[in-house]
Amino acid sequence: MPPEILLPVTDPKLVTELDALARRHRGASGPVMQVLGFLGGSAEGLVNRLPAGVRTGLEGATERALDTAMAAASRSRGVVADRPDWVNTALATAMGAAGGFGGLPGALAELPFTVTMLLRAIQGIAAEHGFDPASDEVRLECLRVFASAGPLARDDGTDMGFFTAKVTITGSGLSGLIARVAPRLSVVLGEKLAAQTAPVLGAVAGAAVNYAFTSYYQEIARVHFGLKRLARDSGEDEGLLREELVARITARR
């Protein structure tokens, strides 16, 4: 049986909304992210100055932090209401400054809290778009947001992997996705830790990096769940809308 042919989107309303999502995605890697991309490039060399034990254990620590953060973020939803983006960004920025001020020990202690806050913010955005963060499916989608390139990436921060990845929605699928995201995220978090190793100066870097992380992932989450809501509300094929969005994003690189 021949594969289904997906026709281009022509509905003016859908075209307008796809264009808006593409602009939001590009905006996530705007001027502030470009400055932090330079910081990431500088931090890359500093990673080698981290203690060997920290470097070798970073991937495993990231995987454990993601696993723990997912559960902690989900539990917190029954205690603390979802917050506006600016509140999440301000809190994460303050935590980054505090962690950086304490040098490497402070940065290591702050790391799981930052990961939890990022996941909590992503879950809140999922709920805002009408999806249930308690479901395995949506928990998986929240992790897929983390599969995108981080704000310290050396390119423009655009990564289509989180749009196209297909993962079975089971308990093992969630664990597998955490294991898949951890290596990529551990590289970025390693640069974050390296930038925070100098007290005082580290506080500035920690605040800046956390600001970028939170702003970036909240924007990416809004694109991700905005696309899913668009497909749900319009009845249009999500794969087609995804292809249309990717085409719009990559056309402006």
Side-chain angles (χ1 to χ4, degrees), residues 18-186:
L18 285 169
D19 287 342
L21 288 175
R23 286 194 299 272
R24 183 182 283 274
H25 192 285
R26 290 193 298 271
S29 301
V32 173
M33 302 308 168
Q34 292 174 18
V35 171
L36 289 170
F38 174 78
L39 174 62
S42 300
E44 185 177 17
L46 294 176
V47 171
N48 292 329
R49 301 182 187 178
L50 290 172
V54 174
R55 294 199 308 271
T56 57
L58 190 56
E59 184 175 322
T62 301
E63 185 171 344
R64 290 191 297 273
L66 282 172
D67 197 17
T68 302
M70 178 60 75
S74 297
R75 287 196 302 270
S76 73
R77 292 184 52 76
V79 180
V80 181
D82 292 331
R83 297 176 292 257
D85 288 0
W86 70 269
V87 174
N88 291 324
T89 303
L91 289 173
T93 300
M95 287 195 305
F101 186 79
L104 181 58
L108 285 169
E110 168 260 325
L111 188 62
F113 293 99
T114 294
V115 174
T116 300
M117 176 163 285
L118 287 171
L119 273 173
R120 179 65 165 78
I122 293 168
Q123 289 179 353
I125 291 170
E128 182 182 326
H129 284 75
F131 299 97
D132 180 11
S135 72
D136 277 353
E137 180 178 3
V138 177
R139 291 174 69 204
L140 182 147
E141 295 298 335
C142 290
L143 281 171
R144 287 177 70 187
V145 172
F146 260 142
S148 63
L152 297 184
R154 252 68 60 194
D155 55 14
D156 63 358
T158 301
D159 188 329
M160 299 299 103
F162 81 102
F163 279 120
T164 58
K166 302 294 183 184
V167 183
T168 303
I169 303 170
T170 65
S172 60
L174 287 169
S175 298
L177 187 58
I178 288 175
R180 174 184 171 187
V181 171
R184 178 181 304 191
L185 191 59
S186 69

